[in-house]
Amino acid sequence: MNQLFEQLQPYLDKSIAYDAALTLLNWDIETLAPKTAISNTSKIIGLLSMESYHTLVNPEVKDLITRLSVEQEQKNLTEIQRVIVRKIKKDSDTMDKIPAKEYQDYSELVASSSSIWAKAKESNRFEDFAKTLEKLINYEKKFAQYCKKENETIYDYLLDKYEEGMNTAKLDIFFDKIRSVIVPLLKKIVEKNKVIDKSYNSKSYDIETQKKFCRFLAEYIGFDFNRGVMAESAHPFTTHLHNKDVRITNHYIENNLESAIFSVIHEGGHAIYEMQIADDISLTPVGTGTSMGFHESQSRLFENHFGRNKMFWIPLFDKLKETYKEQLNELSLDDFILAINKVEPSFIRTEADELTYPLHIMIRYELEKQIFSGELKIDELADAWDKKYEEYLGITPPTRTLGILQDVHWSCGMFGYFPSYALGSAISAQIYSDMEKKFPIETYLKESNLAPIHDYLKENFHKYGATKTTNELLIAATNEDLNVDYYITYLTKKYTELYNLDENLK
Ligand code: ZN
């Protein structure tokens, strides 16, 4: 083993240990902890976060990383070690450029801004959050100025933070293509006015029965309960300590059958990714998903490409009807498939259907671009949001709560994050298409034979964790870069068929 890397190892181990402890505390706050715990436990989390941060950002580690980055030393490292060194160097270079005092002030602002946002959302008053938002944006601008490359715009710098190599030049093309297909497709669907009866979904569904069925579904899609647990929280999420302890949450709504079903399939997709990461990188800084966009591609692959596919439900539909005999008595499989894919312009991103979802992302992308180029002022933001909804979805949010205040992201200082969701959808379509070329995926789904699918995902993507970037993974598996055409073809074909849109042509 390389001697210098050996000296770095205890720092890495300690950082992983802190992160695991923090993950558990955060998990606990969201699931089991009593409500009164939050303020005190948040202080503990704050302290541990600082410890965790300084474990890797300190002069000793900096010195080791500098020496390990020299070409001569690089030759003596394994490939995984090289990636780890590069990752820590990138983080510490960034932190070096931001004055410590400013970063501390910023962290304190972020810690308090989510609750300011939550209150503003509750009372439908954007003006109560606007000042905080403006401060957050100013910090982002300032930090980007310190860190960005000379010719890079501020927003490009922010985008690259979440998806390496991503920028507005690429995303403009990406979203233009999506827009040019989805907007006319949506228009046709709205004009078609096809009657889709979704009334079964809002009947009453016993919560305990829902829990049992969702546990069955999680296991069915490949969530390994020997390596993971499932709990309840207000908003479903996935987290992990390492590849042998992956946790998902779900929420159950009495008058909404689909909500818990599709949440558990979605989070299950995230979880299976983390569970299939190779043992030898699991307890390292690269032992996790490679990017937010790629992570989201795995959850959407399960939720949309599998979970909203008729083939997936063929072996499951009887069990679903058996579980909810009374409520689903009249429902046929075809009507169910139509209903779970129903397209309807709506205000809330997280509840949007698969076709209108990218429009919600495009709106946020365009607004963020204008915020960071200086075109849009804070006091113009809420109305600009509503105008975009009118333009893209033909609906105007009646309140700020259903408009600009709906997402938590900005209050956490996450700017440039939203495009990851759309990238995830596009990546999942590209991967599904690759699977179709390589094996009879629909037959596998129909026969409940998911093992070959898991193996394919593990061998091509999951096992590598963050040792490879999204594009490296895609090129190695599918022979090409991220290509939005797969996504466009998929959406066009799917909705043309579901809504019989080419009927007139026949
Ligand atoms: Zn997700």
Side-chain angles (χ1 to χ4, degrees):
M1 176 121 166
N2 179 292
Q3 265 199 345
L4 276 178
F5 199 89
E6 222 167 296
Q7 291 176 46
L8 180 66
Q9 193 63 51
Y11 294 100
L12 298 178
D13 292 342
K14 200 171 163 186
S15 148
I16 293 285
Y18 275 126
D19 287 349
L22 282 163
T23 299
L24 256 190
L25 281 171
N26 281 314
W27 157 271
D28 198 58
I29 282 217
E30 299 292 335
T31 54
L32 275 178
K35 284 215 170 3
T36 51
I38 290 174
S39 66
N40 284 353
T41 308
S42 295
K43 276 183 202 151
I44 297 170
I45 289 175
L47 273 170
L48 282 176
S49 301
M50 282 316 281
E51 283 300 310
S52 165
Y53 173 74
H54 287 298
T55 310
L56 289 184
V57 181
N58 66 58
E60 293 86 27
V61 171
K62 193 182 168 190
D63 177 53
L64 283 169
I65 292 291
T66 309
R67 288 156 69 195
L68 278 162
S69 302
V70 177
E71 206 184 322
Q72 199 53 34
E73 282 299 332
Q74 288 271 302
K75 283 183 194 150
N76 300 325
L77 297 177
T78 65
E79 204 189 322
I80 292 169
Q81 288 170 339
R82 270 197 294 271
V83 183
I84 292 173
V85 168
R86 199 178 65 207
K87 187 178 188 306
I88 298 173
K89 188 170 188 305
K90 193 178 174 190
D91 294 346
S92 75
D93 284 354
T94 304
M95 288 321 298
D96 267 357
K97 291 176 187 148
I98 299 175
K101 173 76 175 86
E102 282 182 25
Y103 191 76
Q104 199 187 329
D105 292 346
Y106 167 74
S107 303
E108 280 168 24
L109 174 67
V110 171
S112 63
S113 47
S114 291
S115 63
I116 296 172
W117 161 77
K119 268 187 213 132
K121 182 182 173 186
E122 212 180 295
S123 53
N124 189 29
R125 287 171 56 88
F126 177 67
E127 55 273 36
D128 291 354
F129 177 55
K131 278 243 146 30
T132 307
L133 181 60
E134 188 165 29
K135 281 186 207 161
L136 287 165
I137 289 168
N138 287 339
Y139 270 115
E140 291 290 331
K141 284 184 179 170
K142 203 154 58 164
F143 292 171
Q145 288 293 359
Y146 294 143
C147 300
K148 74 181 186 64
K149 293 179 208 110
E150 213 178 312
N151 297 324
E152 205 176 18
T153 66
I154 290 174
Y155 194 47
D156 279 346
Y157 167 79
L158 295 173
L159 291 167
D160 181 81
K161 274 199 336 194
Y162 297 106
E163 190 67 57
E164 213 178 304
M166 196 42 71
N167 55 43
T168 45
K170 289 182 191 173
L171 280 175
D172 283 347
I173 298 172
F174 176 82
F175 283 125
D176 276 350
K177 280 193 165 181
I178 296 177
R179 186 190 299 110
S180 70
V181 172
I182 291 186
V183 172
L185 201 55
L186 181 62
K187 198 168 164 258
K188 276 194 215 167
I189 290 173
V190 172
E191 279 167 6
K192 182 102 187 177
N193 207 7
K194 182 169 178 152
V195 180
I196 296 178
D197 183 9
K198 225 176 146 72
S199 58
Y200 72 86
N201 190 50
S202 50
K203 290 182 179 175
S204 166
Y205 294 91
D206 174 60
I207 300 287
E208 288 309 311
T209 314
Q210 286 199 49
K211 282 185 196 170
K212 243 174 93 184
F213 188 76
C214 284
R215 191 184 160 90
F216 157 78
L217 256 187
E219 207 158 11
Y220 180 86
I221 62 165
F223 184 87
D224 179 356
F225 278 93
N226 292 313
R227 289 173 168 230
V229 292
M230 186 159 113
E232 271 178 75
S233 66
H235 304 283
F237 68 95
T238 304
T239 189
H240 67 283
L241 305 188
H242 41 71
N243 67 350
K244 294 187 176 63
D245 187 342
V246 181
R247 299 165 181 234
I248 57 175
T249 67
N250 202 357
H251 65 170
Y252 304 93
I253 305 164
E254 196 193 324
N255 296 104
N256 191 338
L257 174 67
E258 287 176 21
S259 180
I261 286 180
F262 288 100
S263 290
V264 78
I265 301 177
H266 180 98
E267 300 308 328
H270 280 303
I272 291 164
Y273 185 10
E274 292 295 339
M275 282 174 173
Q276 296 211 99
I277 282 173
D279 286 339
D280 62 347
I281 57 166
S282 179
L283 282 175
T284 74
V286 290
T288 183
T290 189
S291 72
M292 162 54 204
F294 200 81
H295 231 302
E296 206 56 33
S297 79
Q298 298 308 290
S299 53
R300 277 153 204 260
L301 188 65
F302 277 81
E303 181 191 343
N304 295 330
H305 294 268
F306 303 163
R308 296 183 197 276
N309 187 327
K310 185 175 171 184
M311 297 302 138
F312 176 85
W313 283 101
I314 286 177
L316 291 171
F317 193 60
D318 281 348
K319 171 149 180 118
L320 180 73
K321 281 189 79 159
E322 188 59 32
T323 307
Y324 304 111
K325 262 190 214 124
E326 219 176 283
Q327 300 94 323
L328 303 183
N329 191 22
E330 305 279 302
L331 190 66
S332 72
L333 175 59
D334 283 335
D335 286 344
F336 177 64
I337 297 302
L338 209 49
I340 60 178
N341 287 295
K342 185 176 182 178
V343 173
E344 219 167 8
S346 61
F347 301 116
I348 302 289
R349 174 185 62 85
T350 54
E351 288 163 17
D353 59 80
E354 207 183 339
L355 186 69
T356 56
Y357 188 87
L359 299 176
H360 291 259
I361 300 303
M362 236 174 270
I363 290 169
R364 287 151 177 80
Y365 168 69
E366 285 173 11
L367 292 176
E368 285 186 340
K369 226 166 51 167
Q370 290 181 317
I371 291 171
F372 288 99
S373 70
E375 265 172 77
L376 201 57
K377 307 269 169 302
I378 298 294
D379 53 10
E380 300 163 342
L381 205 52
D383 289 339
W385 179 286
D386 292 353
K387 273 206 193 91
K388 291 269 181 207
Y389 267 79
E390 178 60 46
E391 185 187 338
Y392 282 129
L393 290 151
I395 51 177
T396 308
T399 64
R400 299 302 188 208
T401 308
L402 290 170
I404 192 163
L405 287 172
Q406 65 180 275
D407 294 307
V408 68
H409 302 62
W410 288 348
S411 77
C412 305
M414 287 154 78
F415 300 91
Y417 186 96
F418 285 117
S420 312
Y421 293 117
L423 291 168
S425 300
I427 296 166
S428 69
Q430 185 167 341
I431 292 176
Y432 191 82
S433 161
D434 187 57
M435 283 195 273
E436 276 180 319
K437 286 175 202 146
K438 291 175 175 161
F439 47 83
I441 179 145
E442 299 225 317
T443 310
Y444 288 166
L445 291 174
K446 200 170 139 188
E447 293 172 350
S448 303
N449 181 15
L450 271 58
I453 298 171
H454 294 145
D455 288 346
Y456 163 90
L457 292 173
K458 181 177 182 177
E459 289 311 312
N460 288 290
F461 310 110
H462 295 177
K463 71 175 183 187
Y464 294 110
T467 60
K468 293 184 191 296
T469 64
T470 298
N471 263 335
E472 285 170 347
L473 290 170
L474 284 177
I475 290 168
T478 70
N479 280 322
E480 58 184 320
D481 253 345
L482 172 60
N483 180 350
V484 67
D485 292 345
Y486 292 103
Y487 183 41
I488 289 170
T489 308
Y490 159 74
L491 289 175
T492 309
K493 184 171 177 285
K494 176 171 178 170
Y495 289 98
T496 303
E497 280 172 18
L498 276 170
Y499 280 84
N500 317 104
L501 295 178
D502 54 2
E503 197 160 67
N504 305 339
L505 301 172
K506 275 175 195 164

